Amino acid sequence: MVRAGVTVERLTLAAAELADDVGFDNVTVAALARRFGVKEASLYSHIKNARDLKTRVALLALAELADQVAAAVAGRAGKDALVAFAGAYRDYAKRHPGRYAAARMKLDLETAAMSAAGRHAEMTRAILRGYELSDPDQTDAVRMLGSVFHGYVSLETAGAFQHHPREVEASWSRTLDALDSVLQNWPPA
Amino acid sequence: MVRAGVTVERLTLAAAELADDVGFDNVTVAALARRFGVKEASLYSHIKNARDLKTRVALLALAELADQVAAAVAGRAGKDALVAFAGAYRDYAKRHPGRYAAARMKLDLETAAMSAAGRHAEMTRAILRGYELSDPDQTDAVRMLGSVFHGYVSLETAGAFQHHPREVEASWSRTLDALDSVLQNWPPA
DNA sequence: CTAGTCTTCCTAATAGACTTAGGCAAACGT
DNA sequence: ACGTTTGCCTAAGTCTATTAGGAAGACTAG
């Protein structure tokens, strides 16, 4: 038996590609083994179990997404930065639907702490430096921005916006206008 | 063999309860059969397959959610209506996490057309009657509101807001303030 | 270089889940 | 009371996840 050269890294990457192809829910140990031309049981030398595999994909996706967003935001401020952030986020989700689904998987606290989720929060906060928001408001705004980005992408992906002729792109753009506007005029408590 | 009195309706309801207990992803034909004290194969006299079952739960959840929201919004207008809508939506998702997950399942177009999804859109539009928005803007606002509500609930449920001490309740309230504010001052194109 | 160890992959086996086919008996309509 | 429909069963095939134990390639110390 010639060794197939399976490593955790290659497995994770292949699982991510598989997720983008067939959906994160359909990422299966069996399918992955097929893709590598080895038996299913062999993969258990590299991963703990199916959940472990999915978690690794989630961590990969969170890191990739953070990288993309960081690159897009670099050197921008204010509304420019907001639009760049949101665009990079949505682009990633559309290009990598399976990975994006993975990124939204519920992680246990320790795993979440080791993930790039912290970078996401930091970057969102960085966006808000272009607007004058002090701390409790800032946190609220971070949560609102995260909700809009994830919610929009999630609904769009689920086809929830297909029932109306209005361009999804246009609504996205106007939504960002609205966010910029409300961040500039954040209502007092 | 005494008949167990299984009907599609009872199956769907039990599946919904099961979903709230163990998560929508863990709703399984086998578990449902156990709950009714019949063999798995017997359920196939009532449902087409596992996907059919899940779709029925989704339709149930969409209808229930629409009812709750409708009841909450009745007789209110403006920000009052907005807050009531959002509160009912979030409450339902928290009380029935499995059903809520079901409601967010991707449905094929014909099924979606027969669902209560249309009522959701109508009700959201109704909220906007309290604000002066004409048609392309209105659609954009409907999409934004849907995104915020779903996104917030989704992130909150996934535990994404647990890493910061700020009260989730407070952020929610301020997010609604922000939405009200931006709907009142919708930026021009 | 060789002996021992570690690692990767295999076979074999179990268990849970989905689904179809075919049969029996209860419930229902006439 | 009789025939049809319908609910539930057994049996069986498929797929996935996972564990145990074995064989042989790959590395490592002497």
Side-chain angles (χ1 to χ4, degrees), chain B residues 3 28-30 34 40-41 44 49-50:
Chain B
R3 302 208 169 182
T28 179
V29 177
R34 264 177 248 127
E40 309 173 28
Y44 289 85
N49 50 37

PDB file of all heavy atoms in Angstrom, chain B residues 3 28-30 34 40-41 44 49-50, chain C residues 16-21 23-27:
ATOM      1  N   ARG B   3     -53.618   0.337  16.723  1.00  0.00           N
ATOM      2  CA  ARG B   3     -53.097   1.477  15.944  1.00  0.00           C
ATOM      3  C   ARG B   3     -52.680   2.614  16.866  1.00  0.00           C
ATOM      4  O   ARG B   3     -53.345   2.885  17.863  1.00  0.00           O
ATOM      5  CB  ARG B   3     -54.171   1.964  14.968  1.00  0.00           C
ATOM      6  CG  ARG B   3     -54.585   0.841  14.040  1.00  0.00           C
ATOM      7  CD  ARG B   3     -55.065   1.355  12.733  1.00  0.00           C
ATOM      8  NE  ARG B   3     -55.194   0.243  11.794  1.00  0.00           N
ATOM      9  CZ  ARG B   3     -55.557   0.397  10.540  1.00  0.00           C
ATOM     10  NH1 ARG B   3     -55.816   1.587  10.075  1.00  0.00           N
ATOM     11  NH2 ARG B   3     -55.645  -0.645   9.752  1.00  0.00           N
ATOM     12  N   THR B  28     -35.019  13.300  13.540  1.00  0.00           N
ATOM     13  CA  THR B  28     -34.772  12.136  12.734  1.00  0.00           C
ATOM     14  C   THR B  28     -36.027  11.269  12.683  1.00  0.00           C
ATOM     15  O   THR B  28     -36.824  11.268  13.635  1.00  0.00           O
ATOM     16  CB  THR B  28     -33.595  11.359  13.341  1.00  0.00           C
ATOM     17  OG1 THR B  28     -33.358  10.212  12.575  1.00  0.00           O
ATOM     18  CG2 THR B  28     -33.872  10.990  14.758  1.00  0.00           C
ATOM     19  N   VAL B  29     -36.217  10.612  11.581  1.00  0.00           N
ATOM     20  CA  VAL B  29     -37.367   9.718  11.429  1.00  0.00           C
ATOM     21  C   VAL B  29     -37.351   8.683  12.545  1.00  0.00           C
ATOM     22  O   VAL B  29     -38.391   8.378  13.139  1.00  0.00           O
ATOM     23  CB  VAL B  29     -37.332   9.028  10.057  1.00  0.00           C
ATOM     24  CG1 VAL B  29     -38.472   8.040   9.922  1.00  0.00           C
ATOM     25  CG2 VAL B  29     -37.393  10.055   8.951  1.00  0.00           C
ATOM     26  N   ALA B  30     -36.194   8.179  12.845  1.00  0.00           N
ATOM     27  CA  ALA B  30     -36.060   7.146  13.869  1.00  0.00           C
ATOM     28  C   ALA B  30     -36.511   7.662  15.233  1.00  0.00           C
ATOM     29  O   ALA B  30     -37.294   7.007  15.926  1.00  0.00           O
ATOM     30  CB  ALA B  30     -34.610   6.684  13.930  1.00  0.00           C
ATOM     31  N   ARG B  34     -39.735   6.440  17.546  1.00  0.00           N
ATOM     32  CA  ARG B  34     -39.598   6.040  18.942  1.00  0.00           C
ATOM     33  C   ARG B  34     -40.610   6.767  19.798  1.00  0.00           C
ATOM     34  O   ARG B  34     -41.293   6.181  20.622  1.00  0.00           O
ATOM     35  CB  ARG B  34     -38.172   6.365  19.425  1.00  0.00           C
ATOM     36  CG  ARG B  34     -37.208   5.186  19.360  1.00  0.00           C
ATOM     37  CD  ARG B  34     -35.802   5.603  19.772  1.00  0.00           C
ATOM     38  NE  ARG B  34     -34.875   5.561  18.654  1.00  0.00           N
ATOM     39  CZ  ARG B  34     -34.089   6.540  18.256  1.00  0.00           C
ATOM     40  NH1 ARG B  34     -34.098   7.694  18.904  1.00  0.00           N
ATOM     41  NH2 ARG B  34     -33.289   6.391  17.223  1.00  0.00           N
ATOM     42  N   GLU B  40     -39.881   2.659  12.467  1.00  0.00           N
ATOM     43  CA  GLU B  40     -39.547   3.766  11.560  1.00  0.00           C
ATOM     44  C   GLU B  40     -40.306   3.688  10.242  1.00  0.00           C
ATOM     45  O   GLU B  40     -40.850   4.672   9.757  1.00  0.00           O
ATOM     46  CB  GLU B  40     -38.051   3.755  11.239  1.00  0.00           C
ATOM     47  CG  GLU B  40     -37.163   3.695  12.456  1.00  0.00           C
ATOM     48  CD  GLU B  40     -35.709   3.509  12.060  1.00  0.00           C
ATOM     49  OE1 GLU B  40     -35.329   3.946  10.952  1.00  0.00           O
ATOM     50  OE2 GLU B  40     -34.944   2.937  12.864  1.00  0.00           O
ATOM     51  N   ALA B  41     -40.327   2.474   9.683  1.00  0.00           N
ATOM     52  CA  ALA B  41     -40.916   2.312   8.351  1.00  0.00           C
ATOM     53  C   ALA B  41     -42.372   2.748   8.325  1.00  0.00           C
ATOM     54  O   ALA B  41     -42.887   3.182   7.294  1.00  0.00           O
ATOM     55  CB  ALA B  41     -40.777   0.872   7.895  1.00  0.00           C
ATOM     56  N   TYR B  44     -43.566   6.188   6.995  1.00  0.00           N
ATOM     57  CA  TYR B  44     -43.572   6.472   5.560  1.00  0.00           C
ATOM     58  C   TYR B  44     -44.955   6.322   4.940  1.00  0.00           C
ATOM     59  O   TYR B  44     -45.141   6.577   3.762  1.00  0.00           O
ATOM     60  CB  TYR B  44     -42.529   5.610   4.846  1.00  0.00           C
ATOM     61  CG  TYR B  44     -41.126   6.067   5.163  1.00  0.00           C
ATOM     62  CD1 TYR B  44     -40.467   5.626   6.295  1.00  0.00           C
ATOM     63  CD2 TYR B  44     -40.484   7.010   4.356  1.00  0.00           C
ATOM     64  CE1 TYR B  44     -39.196   6.067   6.613  1.00  0.00           C
ATOM     65  CE2 TYR B  44     -39.208   7.451   4.660  1.00  0.00           C
ATOM     66  CZ  TYR B  44     -38.571   6.980   5.794  1.00  0.00           C
ATOM     67  OH  TYR B  44     -37.318   7.431   6.105  1.00  0.00           O
ATOM     68  N   ASN B  49     -40.683  11.467   2.988  1.00  0.00           N
ATOM     69  CA  ASN B  49     -39.325  11.125   3.415  1.00  0.00           C
ATOM     70  C   ASN B  49     -38.879  12.129   4.488  1.00  0.00           C
ATOM     71  O   ASN B  49     -39.677  12.983   4.900  1.00  0.00           O
ATOM     72  CB  ASN B  49     -38.366  11.145   2.214  1.00  0.00           C
ATOM     73  CG  ASN B  49     -38.489  12.429   1.420  1.00  0.00           C
ATOM     74  OD1 ASN B  49     -38.682  13.496   1.992  1.00  0.00           O
ATOM     75  ND2 ASN B  49     -38.400  12.322   0.113  1.00  0.00           N
ATOM     76  N   ALA B  50     -37.669  12.034   4.902  1.00  0.00           N
ATOM     77  CA  ALA B  50     -37.191  12.876   5.992  1.00  0.00           C
ATOM     78  C   ALA B  50     -37.265  14.356   5.625  1.00  0.00           C
ATOM     79  O   ALA B  50     -37.625  15.204   6.435  1.00  0.00           O
ATOM     80  CB  ALA B  50     -35.758  12.502   6.352  1.00  0.00           C
TER      81      ALA B  50
ATOM     82  P    DG C  16     -27.584   1.707  18.136  1.00  0.00           P
ATOM     83  OP1  DG C  16     -27.776   2.053  19.550  1.00  0.00           O
ATOM     84  OP2  DG C  16     -28.290   0.562  17.525  1.00  0.00           O
ATOM     85  O5'  DG C  16     -27.916   2.998  17.258  1.00  0.00           O
ATOM     86  C5'  DG C  16     -27.032   4.107  17.261  1.00  0.00           C
ATOM     87  C4'  DG C  16     -27.302   4.968  16.029  1.00  0.00           C
ATOM     88  O4'  DG C  16     -26.743   4.333  14.864  1.00  0.00           O
ATOM     89  C3'  DG C  16     -28.790   5.166  15.720  1.00  0.00           C
ATOM     90  O3'  DG C  16     -28.991   6.525  15.383  1.00  0.00           O
ATOM     91  C2'  DG C  16     -29.048   4.242  14.551  1.00  0.00           C
ATOM     92  C1'  DG C  16     -27.708   4.289  13.841  1.00  0.00           C
ATOM     93  N9   DG C  16     -27.435   3.132  12.996  1.00  0.00           N
ATOM     94  C8   DG C  16     -27.545   1.814  13.338  1.00  0.00           C
ATOM     95  N7   DG C  16     -27.248   0.997  12.361  1.00  0.00           N
ATOM     96  C5   DG C  16     -26.924   1.839  11.312  1.00  0.00           C
ATOM     97  C6   DG C  16     -26.520   1.544   9.985  1.00  0.00           C
ATOM     98  O6   DG C  16     -26.360   0.430   9.464  1.00  0.00           O
ATOM     99  N1   DG C  16     -26.282   2.693   9.244  1.00  0.00           N
ATOM    100  C2   DG C  16     -26.421   3.963   9.722  1.00  0.00           C
ATOM    101  N2   DG C  16     -26.151   4.957   8.875  1.00  0.00           N
ATOM    102  N3   DG C  16     -26.793   4.261  10.955  1.00  0.00           N
ATOM    103  C4   DG C  16     -27.030   3.155  11.686  1.00  0.00           C
ATOM    104  P    DA C  17     -30.463   7.151  15.320  1.00  0.00           P
ATOM    105  OP1  DA C  17     -30.387   8.470  15.977  1.00  0.00           O
ATOM    106  OP2  DA C  17     -31.438   6.123  15.749  1.00  0.00           O
ATOM    107  O5'  DA C  17     -30.702   7.379  13.763  1.00  0.00           O
ATOM    108  C5'  DA C  17     -29.889   8.326  13.081  1.00  0.00           C
ATOM    109  C4'  DA C  17     -30.097   8.147  11.602  1.00  0.00           C
ATOM    110  O4'  DA C  17     -29.573   6.860  11.234  1.00  0.00           O
ATOM    111  C3'  DA C  17     -31.576   8.130  11.179  1.00  0.00           C
ATOM    112  O3'  DA C  17     -31.851   9.307  10.410  1.00  0.00           O
ATOM    113  C2'  DA C  17     -31.736   6.876  10.330  1.00  0.00           C
ATOM    114  C1'  DA C  17     -30.304   6.390  10.135  1.00  0.00           C
ATOM    115  N9   DA C  17     -30.209   4.935  10.135  1.00  0.00           N
ATOM    116  C8   DA C  17     -30.418   4.088  11.183  1.00  0.00           C
ATOM    117  N7   DA C  17     -30.264   2.817  10.882  1.00  0.00           N
ATOM    118  C5   DA C  17     -29.946   2.846   9.542  1.00  0.00           C
ATOM    119  C6   DA C  17     -29.661   1.830   8.624  1.00  0.00           C
ATOM    120  N6   DA C  17     -29.664   0.526   8.934  1.00  0.00           N
ATOM    121  N1   DA C  17     -29.381   2.197   7.356  1.00  0.00           N
ATOM    122  C2   DA C  17     -29.379   3.495   7.040  1.00  0.00           C
ATOM    123  N3   DA C  17     -29.619   4.542   7.821  1.00  0.00           N
ATOM    124  C4   DA C  17     -29.900   4.144   9.068  1.00  0.00           C
ATOM    125  P    DC C  18     -33.298   9.467   9.768  1.00  0.00           P
ATOM    126  OP1  DC C  18     -33.472  10.911   9.519  1.00  0.00           O
ATOM    127  OP2  DC C  18     -34.251   8.710  10.581  1.00  0.00           O
ATOM    128  O5'  DC C  18     -33.149   8.727   8.356  1.00  0.00           O
ATOM    129  C5'  DC C  18     -32.219   9.231   7.416  1.00  0.00           C
ATOM    130  C4'  DC C  18     -32.456   8.566   6.068  1.00  0.00           C
ATOM    131  O4'  DC C  18     -32.101   7.174   6.180  1.00  0.00           O
ATOM    132  C3'  DC C  18     -33.914   8.607   5.594  1.00  0.00           C
ATOM    133  O3'  DC C  18     -33.920   8.993   4.228  1.00  0.00           O
ATOM    134  C2'  DC C  18     -34.397   7.170   5.788  1.00  0.00           C
ATOM    135  C1'  DC C  18     -33.116   6.372   5.624  1.00  0.00           C
ATOM    136  N1   DC C  18     -33.076   5.059   6.322  1.00  0.00           N
ATOM    137  C2   DC C  18     -32.735   3.901   5.609  1.00  0.00           C
ATOM    138  O2   DC C  18     -32.490   3.995   4.396  1.00  0.00           O
ATOM    139  N3   DC C  18     -32.683   2.711   6.249  1.00  0.00           N
ATOM    140  C4   DC C  18     -32.949   2.647   7.544  1.00  0.00           C
ATOM    141  N4   DC C  18     -32.870   1.449   8.133  1.00  0.00           N
ATOM    142  C5   DC C  18     -33.283   3.812   8.304  1.00  0.00           C
ATOM    143  C6   DC C  18     -33.337   4.991   7.657  1.00  0.00           C
ATOM    144  P    DT C  19     -35.281   9.394   3.505  1.00  0.00           P
ATOM    145  OP1  DT C  19     -34.985  10.322   2.397  1.00  0.00           O
ATOM    146  OP2  DT C  19     -36.301   9.741   4.520  1.00  0.00           O
ATOM    147  O5'  DT C  19     -35.662   7.989   2.853  1.00  0.00           O
ATOM    148  C5'  DT C  19     -34.704   7.381   1.980  1.00  0.00           C
ATOM    149  C4'  DT C  19     -35.182   6.011   1.587  1.00  0.00           C
ATOM    150  O4'  DT C  19     -34.955   5.078   2.667  1.00  0.00           O
ATOM    151  C3'  DT C  19     -36.679   5.927   1.283  1.00  0.00           C
ATOM    152  O3'  DT C  19     -36.829   5.791  -0.123  1.00  0.00           O
ATOM    153  C2'  DT C  19     -37.153   4.703   2.038  1.00  0.00           C
ATOM    154  C1'  DT C  19     -35.871   4.034   2.480  1.00  0.00           C
ATOM    155  N1   DT C  19     -35.959   3.288   3.754  1.00  0.00           N
ATOM    156  C2   DT C  19     -35.641   1.954   3.737  1.00  0.00           C
ATOM    157  O2   DT C  19     -35.288   1.367   2.738  1.00  0.00           O
ATOM    158  N3   DT C  19     -35.747   1.322   4.959  1.00  0.00           N
ATOM    159  C4   DT C  19     -36.135   1.889   6.152  1.00  0.00           C
ATOM    160  O4   DT C  19     -36.193   1.212   7.174  1.00  0.00           O
ATOM    161  C5   DT C  19     -36.461   3.299   6.098  1.00  0.00           C
ATOM    162  C7   DT C  19     -36.904   4.010   7.336  1.00  0.00           C
ATOM    163  C6   DT C  19     -36.350   3.924   4.911  1.00  0.00           C
ATOM    164  P    DT C  20     -38.322   5.608  -0.772  1.00  0.00           P
ATOM    165  OP1  DT C  20     -38.298   6.301  -2.059  1.00  0.00           O
ATOM    166  OP2  DT C  20     -39.357   5.934   0.230  1.00  0.00           O
ATOM    167  O5'  DT C  20     -38.367   4.033  -1.032  1.00  0.00           O
ATOM    168  C5'  DT C  20     -37.232   3.395  -1.589  1.00  0.00           C
ATOM    169  C4'  DT C  20     -37.517   1.923  -1.797  1.00  0.00           C
ATOM    170  O4'  DT C  20     -37.346   1.210  -0.546  1.00  0.00           O
ATOM    171  C3'  DT C  20     -38.933   1.615  -2.278  1.00  0.00           C
ATOM    172  O3'  DT C  20     -38.858   0.626  -3.310  1.00  0.00           O
ATOM    173  C2'  DT C  20     -39.634   1.101  -1.029  1.00  0.00           C
ATOM    174  C1'  DT C  20     -38.479   0.421  -0.287  1.00  0.00           C
ATOM    175  N1   DT C  20     -38.632   0.375   1.186  1.00  0.00           N
ATOM    176  C2   DT C  20     -38.293  -0.767   1.859  1.00  0.00           C
ATOM    177  O2   DT C  20     -37.873  -1.759   1.302  1.00  0.00           O
ATOM    178  N3   DT C  20     -38.444  -0.710   3.224  1.00  0.00           N
ATOM    179  C4   DT C  20     -38.909   0.360   3.966  1.00  0.00           C
ATOM    180  O4   DT C  20     -39.007   0.291   5.182  1.00  0.00           O
ATOM    181  C5   DT C  20     -39.248   1.534   3.197  1.00  0.00           C
ATOM    182  C7   DT C  20     -39.762   2.740   3.904  1.00  0.00           C
ATOM    183  C6   DT C  20     -39.095   1.488   1.869  1.00  0.00           C
ATOM    184  P    DA C  21     -40.195   0.112  -4.064  1.00  0.00           P
ATOM    185  OP1  DA C  21     -39.781  -0.095  -5.465  1.00  0.00           O
ATOM    186  OP2  DA C  21     -41.354   0.978  -3.734  1.00  0.00           O
ATOM    187  O5'  DA C  21     -40.423  -1.320  -3.377  1.00  0.00           O
ATOM    188  C5'  DA C  21     -39.313  -2.195  -3.196  1.00  0.00           C
ATOM    189  C4'  DA C  21     -39.814  -3.554  -2.724  1.00  0.00           C
ATOM    190  O4'  DA C  21     -39.877  -3.552  -1.284  1.00  0.00           O
ATOM    191  C3'  DA C  21     -41.218  -3.925  -3.211  1.00  0.00           C
ATOM    192  O3'  DA C  21     -41.265  -5.331  -3.471  1.00  0.00           O
ATOM    193  C2'  DA C  21     -42.109  -3.552  -2.036  1.00  0.00           C
ATOM    194  C1'  DA C  21     -41.196  -3.856  -0.853  1.00  0.00           C
ATOM    195  N9   DA C  21     -41.442  -3.052   0.334  1.00  0.00           N
ATOM    196  C8   DA C  21     -41.776  -1.729   0.395  1.00  0.00           C
ATOM    197  N7   DA C  21     -41.938  -1.271   1.620  1.00  0.00           N
ATOM    198  C5   DA C  21     -41.678  -2.370   2.425  1.00  0.00           C
ATOM    199  C6   DA C  21     -41.678  -2.550   3.825  1.00  0.00           C
ATOM    200  N6   DA C  21     -41.949  -1.574   4.681  1.00  0.00           N
ATOM    201  N1   DA C  21     -41.377  -3.780   4.296  1.00  0.00           N
ATOM    202  C2   DA C  21     -41.093  -4.759   3.423  1.00  0.00           C
ATOM    203  N3   DA C  21     -41.065  -4.714   2.088  1.00  0.00           N
ATOM    204  C4   DA C  21     -41.365  -3.483   1.644  1.00  0.00           C
ATOM    205  P    DG C  23     -46.408 -10.259  -0.653  1.00  0.00           P
ATOM    206  OP1  DG C  23     -46.089 -11.638  -1.095  1.00  0.00           O
ATOM    207  OP2  DG C  23     -47.306  -9.406  -1.472  1.00  0.00           O
ATOM    208  O5'  DG C  23     -46.973 -10.326   0.839  1.00  0.00           O
ATOM    209  C5'  DG C  23     -46.145 -10.840   1.879  1.00  0.00           C
ATOM    210  C4'  DG C  23     -46.773 -10.515   3.228  1.00  0.00           C
ATOM    211  O4'  DG C  23     -46.648  -9.086   3.471  1.00  0.00           O
ATOM    212  C3'  DG C  23     -48.269 -10.836   3.301  1.00  0.00           C
ATOM    213  O3'  DG C  23     -48.565 -11.413   4.562  1.00  0.00           O
ATOM    214  C2'  DG C  23     -48.925  -9.466   3.177  1.00  0.00           C
ATOM    215  C1'  DG C  23     -47.901  -8.599   3.891  1.00  0.00           C
ATOM    216  N9   DG C  23     -47.968  -7.177   3.551  1.00  0.00           N
ATOM    217  C8   DG C  23     -47.957  -6.604   2.300  1.00  0.00           C
ATOM    218  N7   DG C  23     -48.038  -5.301   2.330  1.00  0.00           N
ATOM    219  C5   DG C  23     -48.107  -4.997   3.686  1.00  0.00           C
ATOM    220  C6   DG C  23     -48.213  -3.741   4.337  1.00  0.00           C
ATOM    221  O6   DG C  23     -48.263  -2.620   3.833  1.00  0.00           O
ATOM    222  N1   DG C  23     -48.252  -3.889   5.723  1.00  0.00           N
ATOM    223  C2   DG C  23     -48.208  -5.079   6.387  1.00  0.00           C
ATOM    224  N2   DG C  23     -48.263  -5.029   7.715  1.00  0.00           N
ATOM    225  N3   DG C  23     -48.107  -6.259   5.794  1.00  0.00           N
ATOM    226  C4   DG C  23     -48.063  -6.139   4.438  1.00  0.00           C
ATOM    227  P    DC C  24     -49.892 -12.330   4.663  1.00  0.00           P
ATOM    228  OP1  DC C  24     -49.411 -13.722   4.883  1.00  0.00           O
ATOM    229  OP2  DC C  24     -50.830 -11.997   3.558  1.00  0.00           O
ATOM    230  O5'  DC C  24     -50.549 -11.821   6.025  1.00  0.00           O
ATOM    231  C5'  DC C  24     -49.745 -11.618   7.176  1.00  0.00           C
ATOM    232  C4'  DC C  24     -50.462 -10.660   8.114  1.00  0.00           C
ATOM    233  O4'  DC C  24     -50.351  -9.316   7.598  1.00  0.00           O
ATOM    234  C3'  DC C  24     -51.969 -10.934   8.235  1.00  0.00           C
ATOM    235  O3'  DC C  24     -52.361 -10.729   9.578  1.00  0.00           O
ATOM    236  C2'  DC C  24     -52.587  -9.885   7.312  1.00  0.00           C
ATOM    237  C1'  DC C  24     -51.634  -8.729   7.564  1.00  0.00           C
ATOM    238  N1   DC C  24     -51.603  -7.675   6.510  1.00  0.00           N
ATOM    239  C2   DC C  24     -51.575  -6.330   6.895  1.00  0.00           C
ATOM    240  O2   DC C  24     -51.593  -6.051   8.110  1.00  0.00           O
ATOM    241  N3   DC C  24     -51.538  -5.363   5.942  1.00  0.00           N
ATOM    242  C4   DC C  24     -51.523  -5.693   4.649  1.00  0.00           C
ATOM    243  N4   DC C  24     -51.483  -4.721   3.756  1.00  0.00           N
ATOM    244  C5   DC C  24     -51.537  -7.062   4.232  1.00  0.00           C
ATOM    245  C6   DC C  24     -51.583  -8.013   5.184  1.00  0.00           C
ATOM    246  P    DA C  25     -53.710 -11.427  10.138  1.00  0.00           P
ATOM    247  OP1  DA C  25     -53.356 -12.679  10.816  1.00  0.00           O
ATOM    248  OP2  DA C  25     -54.683 -11.419   9.014  1.00  0.00           O
ATOM    249  O5'  DA C  25     -54.215 -10.384  11.220  1.00  0.00           O
ATOM    250  C5'  DA C  25     -53.357  -9.336  11.672  1.00  0.00           C
ATOM    251  C4'  DA C  25     -54.114  -8.022  11.694  1.00  0.00           C
ATOM    252  O4'  DA C  25     -53.975  -7.354  10.420  1.00  0.00           O
ATOM    253  C3'  DA C  25     -55.620  -8.146  11.917  1.00  0.00           C
ATOM    254  O3'  DA C  25     -56.012  -7.039  12.696  1.00  0.00           O
ATOM    255  C2'  DA C  25     -56.188  -8.006  10.513  1.00  0.00           C
ATOM    256  C1'  DA C  25     -55.252  -6.928   9.996  1.00  0.00           C
ATOM    257  N9   DA C  25     -55.184  -6.753   8.555  1.00  0.00           N
ATOM    258  C8   DA C  25     -55.235  -7.711   7.585  1.00  0.00           C
ATOM    259  N7   DA C  25     -55.141  -7.232   6.363  1.00  0.00           N
ATOM    260  C5   DA C  25     -55.011  -5.867   6.557  1.00  0.00           C
ATOM    261  C6   DA C  25     -54.875  -4.792   5.655  1.00  0.00           C
ATOM    262  N6   DA C  25     -54.825  -4.946   4.344  1.00  0.00           N
ATOM    263  N1   DA C  25     -54.782  -3.558   6.196  1.00  0.00           N
ATOM    264  C2   DA C  25     -54.827  -3.414   7.522  1.00  0.00           C
ATOM    265  N3   DA C  25     -54.953  -4.346   8.455  1.00  0.00           N
ATOM    266  C4   DA C  25     -55.040  -5.558   7.903  1.00  0.00           C
ATOM    267  P    DA C  26     -57.232  -7.214  13.768  1.00  0.00           P
ATOM    268  OP1  DA C  26     -56.668  -7.773  15.011  1.00  0.00           O
ATOM    269  OP2  DA C  26     -58.367  -7.870  13.089  1.00  0.00           O
ATOM    270  O5'  DA C  26     -57.607  -5.684  14.046  1.00  0.00           O
ATOM    271  C5'  DA C  26     -56.561  -4.761  14.315  1.00  0.00           C
ATOM    272  C4'  DA C  26     -56.899  -3.414  13.699  1.00  0.00           C
ATOM    273  O4'  DA C  26     -56.785  -3.496  12.257  1.00  0.00           O
ATOM    274  C3'  DA C  26     -58.319  -2.919  13.985  1.00  0.00           C
ATOM    275  O3'  DA C  26     -58.250  -1.543  14.280  1.00  0.00           O
ATOM    276  C2'  DA C  26     -59.072  -3.189  12.683  1.00  0.00           C
ATOM    277  C1'  DA C  26     -57.964  -2.988  11.656  1.00  0.00           C
ATOM    278  N9   DA C  26     -58.109  -3.701  10.395  1.00  0.00           N
ATOM    279  C8   DA C  26     -58.280  -5.049  10.230  1.00  0.00           C
ATOM    280  N7   DA C  26     -58.352  -5.427   8.963  1.00  0.00           N
ATOM    281  C5   DA C  26     -58.219  -4.230   8.267  1.00  0.00           C
ATOM    282  C6   DA C  26     -58.207  -3.947   6.892  1.00  0.00           C
ATOM    283  N6   DA C  26     -58.339  -4.884   5.940  1.00  0.00           N
ATOM    284  N1   DA C  26     -58.054  -2.660   6.522  1.00  0.00           N
ATOM    285  C2   DA C  26     -57.927  -1.732   7.474  1.00  0.00           C
ATOM    286  N3   DA C  26     -57.910  -1.880   8.806  1.00  0.00           N
ATOM    287  C4   DA C  26     -58.066  -3.164   9.132  1.00  0.00           C
ATOM    288  P    DA C  27     -59.492  -0.751  14.918  1.00  0.00           P
ATOM    289  OP1  DA C  27     -58.935   0.206  15.911  1.00  0.00           O
ATOM    290  OP2  DA C  27     -60.535  -1.726  15.308  1.00  0.00           O
ATOM    291  O5'  DA C  27     -60.015   0.090  13.665  1.00  0.00           O
ATOM    292  C5'  DA C  27     -59.129   1.008  13.046  1.00  0.00           C
ATOM    293  C4'  DA C  27     -59.789   1.601  11.804  1.00  0.00           C
ATOM    294  O4'  DA C  27     -59.834   0.595  10.765  1.00  0.00           O
ATOM    295  C3'  DA C  27     -61.230   2.077  12.014  1.00  0.00           C
ATOM    296  O3'  DA C  27     -61.330   3.354  11.407  1.00  0.00           O
ATOM    297  C2'  DA C  27     -62.067   1.008  11.318  1.00  0.00           C
ATOM    298  C1'  DA C  27     -61.136   0.574  10.192  1.00  0.00           C
ATOM    299  N9   DA C  27     -61.313  -0.779   9.689  1.00  0.00           N
ATOM    300  C8   DA C  27     -61.505  -1.925  10.422  1.00  0.00           C
ATOM    301  N7   DA C  27     -61.601  -3.020   9.687  1.00  0.00           N
ATOM    302  C5   DA C  27     -61.472  -2.556   8.387  1.00  0.00           C
ATOM    303  C6   DA C  27     -61.496  -3.221   7.140  1.00  0.00           C
ATOM    304  N6   DA C  27     -61.641  -4.538   7.011  1.00  0.00           N
ATOM    305  N1   DA C  27     -61.329  -2.464   6.034  1.00  0.00           N
ATOM    306  C2   DA C  27     -61.167  -1.143   6.186  1.00  0.00           C
ATOM    307  N3   DA C  27     -61.122  -0.399   7.299  1.00  0.00           N
ATOM    308  C4   DA C  27     -61.286  -1.185   8.374  1.00  0.00           C
TER     309       DA C  27
END
